[in-house]
Amino acid sequence: MTAPSDKDSAKPSNFLRQIIERDLEQGTYAQRRWAGHPADAATHAAGVADPAKIRTRFPPEPNGYLHVGHAKSICLNFGLARDYGGVCHMRFDDTNPEKEEQEYVDGILDAVKWLGFGWDANGTRHLYQASDYFDFMYRAAEYLIGAGLAYVDEQTPEQMRANRGDFGKPGVDSPFRSRTPGENLARFREMRDGKLADGAAVLRARIDMASPNINLRDPALYRIKHAEHHNTGNRWCIYPMYTFAHPIEDALENITHSICTLEFEDQRPFYDWLLDRLSEGGLINTPHPRQYEFARLNLTYVVTSKRKLKQLVDDKHVDGWDDPRMPTIVGLRRRGYTPESLQLFAERIGVTKADSWIDYSTLEIALRDDLDPKAARGMAVLEPVKLVIDNWDAVMGAGHLEPCTAPVHPHQPERGQRSFSFGKALWIERGDYEEVPPKGYNRLFPGNKVRLKYGYVVECTGADKDAAGNVTTVHATLIPDTKSGTPGSDSVKAKGVITWVGVHDAVPAQVRLYDRLFTVPQPGAGDKDFLEEINPDSLKVAQAYVEPSVAACPPDTRFQFERHGYFVADRKEHVAGRPVINRVTGLKDTWAK
Ligand code: ATP
Ligand code: MG
């Protein structure tokens, strides 16, 4: 199996790649100049030929932790820039004067870096915040007013809504629509200077109240909000609307391909209208950026909305944003996902223009494909019961411990061997013993011979039980000269093979067995409350035993426990010698009977 990074040449094409390749071939953006930082047309014109062949951006709002949907967008935007000699800008879309939390800003930057991407290129740090462009946005607004393309509307919000019309009904012009540019400018400046209350007026584009696209029926550009902003403080009491701000942010940053999710498709005509007008006015660089939409990631059995994820955290349904059951990037990381597995996942699901649901198993398959060649093997017993070899002392000598080895990785002998030892008492899985075996059961039951992997063949003789009938100890006798890897060891036929760890050298471990966080593929679909569809059994904690090599590892080490699947030493709670381990996912193959 090749690592995902070796498959670069096999990357499937998609409509975005085709668009970029066409633009590069036609030299659409070849003449553009770059000031070395985001800027208006004149400043860029005085700069150098843009060293980036294309520019994309990843523009989160810093109001929560990023989730697996954002990972798709990150891999897409940073990946396209990397593949086509471009740059991807990291931009915080902080035009809302809501309190920004530094925790979220740091979390977002960490997540992007951890996924394997960065924003330093051509000697420049392309880390931006949209609020730095407020001055230019204000200037653009005044330009539109002067050109008769925007007006201050003082209808009530209700009137505005009613006069917008709907799909079947054209809108009705506001009585304020015919104000002169001079009147509008004066009134807009009063808005800016704090003379009007929140909601008393908005600045609107003057486009077409009868447009079949409702987004072109004089959309709002600026609103009044007497609120402090984390970056600009109390300098502003008017703030740009997202639909006005976003195209301008892209334009100032020389973005070529502005990639967003499908719900913005209807906004594209306004995106172009605005940037066309600002280009005509000589305010922004040309040719201006273009917006392209792709289908957002919908993943079954999880929710991908920051609002819902925040609710899970705030209401303590999970143990924080980085709970290993969360589809946040920090959650996936703690669960044991690797950056490469998420990149591989993003590559495999591709980009399309049609919304669909991706099955959660697609993510798990990408993880297994990434971890299979990387993860060291190990043995762990998750639901332990003691197995005593009653003839051990007689056959091997009292207290004898027989050294055993197993490969770190079955297909990579160069990674060496792990060591542990076999003795009189072992831990085995409770499910590996049955007093009365069901049909086809090949593991321990009285009279059956079974191989303890990397060790000996034993014959089961029975078990002790407590008063309630629970098995407390399983008994067996050793069949001498059957040690794995020794001559003649397979002369005795064993019906089954089971895993084990030695009571004398295994280390007690807390192993968290995670399952899906929701019981239904589309939580909250229809009129269901997504909180009522939380899986009550999404976490089981096992008091397990692991072999010494596993217990000694540093946090974040990933393993494949034979028979059980992929596991990781928890990055927050594991310490070498006192293992705390998370199950990432089960094995593709179910254990043979
Ligand atoms: P949420 O609804 O979860 O808050 P959002 O879209 O508001 O998500 P932003 O911080 O605004 O979150 O998103 C940053 C970028 O990530 C945007 O460009 C957006 O298109 C992209 N993105 C968000 N969710 C997904 C998703 N599920 N699939 C693909 N891209 C996504
Ligand atoms: Mg948002």
Side-chain angles (χ1 to χ4, degrees):
M1 187 150 319
T2 46
S5 53
D6 295 334
K7 291 193 201 154
D8 279 355
S9 54
K11 257 181 211 146
S13 189
N14 59 50
F15 73 97
L16 290 170
R17 289 181 174 272
Q18 285 161 12
I19 288 166
I20 291 170
E21 283 161 19
R22 188 205 58 205
D23 282 336
L24 290 174
E25 218 173 273
Q26 298 178 351
T28 312
Y29 297 98
Q31 305 305 317
R32 295 209 315 174
R33 306 193 73 78
W34 167 247
H37 51 81
D40 63 8
T43 314
H44 277 313
V48 299
D50 194 335
K53 290 212 171 74
I54 62 165
R55 288 183 190 268
T56 56
R57 85 284 173 271
F58 175 64
E61 221 177 305
N63 60 353
Y65 280 82
L66 301 182
H67 53 63
V68 62
H70 294 110
K72 173 178 177 177
S73 180
I74 292 167
C75 291
L76 181 63
N77 280 295
F78 283 91
L80 288 172
R82 173 198 61 207
D83 292 350
Y84 290 102
V87 174
C88 180
H89 294 191
M90 177 71 222
R91 178 202 306 155
F92 285 106
D93 208 322
D94 61 349
T95 52
N96 257 329
E98 258 103 59
K99 194 175 159 358
E100 162 173 303
E101 296 196 31
Q102 193 58 36
E103 179 193 351
Y104 295 143
V105 171
D106 295 342
I108 289 170
L109 296 177
D110 275 352
V112 175
K113 278 189 268 184
W114 178 75
L115 274 172
F117 301 104
W119 39 85
D120 289 343
N122 309 314
T124 307
R125 190 143 199 254
H126 298 286
L127 174 60
Y128 302 116
Q129 45 186 352
S131 57
D132 284 340
Y133 312 143
F134 281 162
D135 283 321
F136 181 89
M137 289 174 191
Y138 181 81
R139 181 177 145 206
E142 286 210 350
Y143 166 76
L144 293 175
I145 292 171
L149 296 168
Y151 63 100
V152 174
D153 193 354
E154 295 177 52
Q155 296 182 97
T156 64
E158 295 73 36
Q159 287 168 329
M160 249 180 262
R161 208 171 304 124
N163 288 338
R164 198 164 45 212
D166 55 35
F167 285 111
K169 199 172 81 188
V172 175
D173 284 3
S174 161
F176 298 93
R177 201 173 194 263
S178 50
R179 279 175 155 169
T180 63
E183 285 171 311
N184 280 314
L185 196 57
R187 200 66 177 143
F188 186 51
R189 288 180 178 170
E190 284 173 9
M191 282 170 65
R192 177 198 61 191
D193 295 339
K195 306 251 163 65
L196 279 78
D198 285 8
V202 292
L203 182 72
R204 296 177 74 175
R206 182 189 272 119
I207 308 179
D208 178 6
M209 286 305 291
S211 172
N213 182 339
I214 292 176
N215 296 299
L216 290 180
R217 293 184 187 173
D218 294 5
L221 308 180
Y222 261 96
R223 65 195 158 133
I224 303 169
K225 199 161 183 179
H226 291 265
E228 187 170 313
H229 188 282
H230 75 97
N231 182 25
T232 55
N234 288 311
R235 231 193 106 208
W236 298 95
C237 63
I238 55 171
Y239 289 95
M241 304 298 289
Y242 179 84
T243 46
F244 177 69
H246 201 85
I248 292 178
E249 295 157 22
D250 287 345
L252 295 177
E253 292 181 17
N254 253 12
I255 300 302
T256 54
H257 301 82
S258 176
I259 300 165
C260 62
T261 44
L262 278 178
E263 64 270 24
F264 293 99
E265 194 166 12
D266 290 346
Q267 293 288 355
R268 182 167 13 104
F270 177 70
Y271 186 102
D272 288 333
W273 180 91
L274 177 63
L275 296 189
D276 285 343
R277 299 297 82 78
L278 297 180
S279 302
E280 287 161 11
L283 273 77
I284 57 160
N285 226 353
T286 50
H288 66 66
R290 295 283 165 190
Q291 173 183 305
Y292 303 94
E293 309 86 21
F294 72 104
R296 68 188 294 116
L297 170 67
N298 297 309
L299 191 63
T300 59
Y301 296 99
V302 298
V303 290
T304 47
S305 136
K306 273 186 244 156
R307 185 182 57 77
K308 289 182 177 172
L309 293 171
K310 188 165 188 315
Q311 204 176 338
L312 290 172
V313 174
D314 291 346
D315 298 354
K316 305 215 167 359
H317 296 287
V318 293
D319 191 19
W321 287 96
D322 65 350
D323 185 299
R325 292 165 293 184
M326 289 281 273
T328 50
I329 296 178
V330 277
L332 292 166
R333 176 180 185 183
R334 196 164 164 208
R335 177 73 169 265
Y337 278 83
T338 55
E340 294 80 8
S341 64
L342 295 176
Q343 289 176 22
L344 183 61
F345 170 71
E347 214 169 276
R348 284 182 179 170
I349 59 176
V351 282
T352 62
K353 291 217 50 118
D355 268 319
S356 66
W357 283 81
I358 301 292
D359 198 87
Y360 193 80
S361 62
T362 311
L363 184 61
E364 296 177 313
I365 292 168
L367 177 91
R368 291 192 197 100
D369 287 349
D370 180 53
L371 282 192
D372 181 48
K374 293 181 183 168
R377 274 31 176 190
M379 285 201 289
V381 173
L382 302 184
E383 211 193 333
V385 70
K386 200 176 272 183
L387 171 72
V388 173
I389 316 284
D390 292 305
N391 63 343
W392 182 264
D393 290 352
V395 178
M396 305 296 292
H400 179 72
L401 293 176
E402 177 67 21
C404 299
T405 57
V408 171
H409 193 288
H411 308 305
Q412 297 164 22
E414 68 281 8
R415 290 173 71 174
Q417 301 282 315
R418 18 190 260 261
S419 323
F420 40 89
S421 54
F422 198 107
K424 182 181 175 73
L426 310 174
W427 295 113
I428 60 166
E429 295 292 343
R430 186 163 282 278
D432 285 346
Y433 172 79
E434 291 283 354
E435 189 173 52
V436 183
K439 201 169 177 306
Y441 186 87
N442 291 331
R443 289 168 272 162
L444 296 167
F445 57 86
N448 198 38
K449 292 196 187 75
V450 166
R451 171 169 296 284
L452 292 156
K453 198 164 183 190
Y454 311 117
Y456 292 88
V457 176
V458 300
E459 179 172 340
C460 182
T461 53
D464 304 335
K465 292 193 213 165
D466 64 14
N470 300 311
V471 171
T472 50
T473 307
V474 178
H475 291 275
T477 51
L478 186 84
I479 313 223
D481 304 324
T482 56
K483 189 179 171 197
S484 295
T486 58
S489 62
D490 46 9
S491 60
V492 178
K493 264 272 156 269
K495 278 250 186 84
V497 183
I498 64 172
T499 45
W500 55 278
V501 291
V503 166
H504 49 277
D505 65 0
V507 181
Q510 189 192 89
V511 177
R512 295 123 163 208
L513 302 170
Y514 293 106
D515 202 345
R516 292 174 186 186
L517 188 51
F518 291 93
T519 52
V520 296
Q522 299 179 13
D527 44 16
K528 289 272 178 55
D529 176 2
F530 78 106
L531 294 175
E532 279 166 23
E533 297 175 315
I534 290 183
N535 177 6
D537 296 321
S538 60
L539 169 58
K540 290 196 184 105
V541 179
Q543 299 305 328
Y545 287 101
V546 296
E547 66 169 72
S549 69
V550 172
C553 73
D556 267 338
T557 309
R558 290 153 179 100
F559 290 95
Q560 186 195 103
F561 287 163
E562 304 192 29
R563 299 172 76 185
H564 292 301
Y566 291 97
F567 291 75
V568 66
D570 189 80
R571 55 195 314 269
K572 269 170 124 175
E573 292 171 43
H574 172 89
V575 276
R578 294 226 347 263
V580 178
I581 289 173
N582 303 327
R583 178 167 69 192
V584 201
T585 181
L587 285 176
K588 174 165 31 193
D589 321 300
T590 48
W591 182 249
K593 278 179 176 170

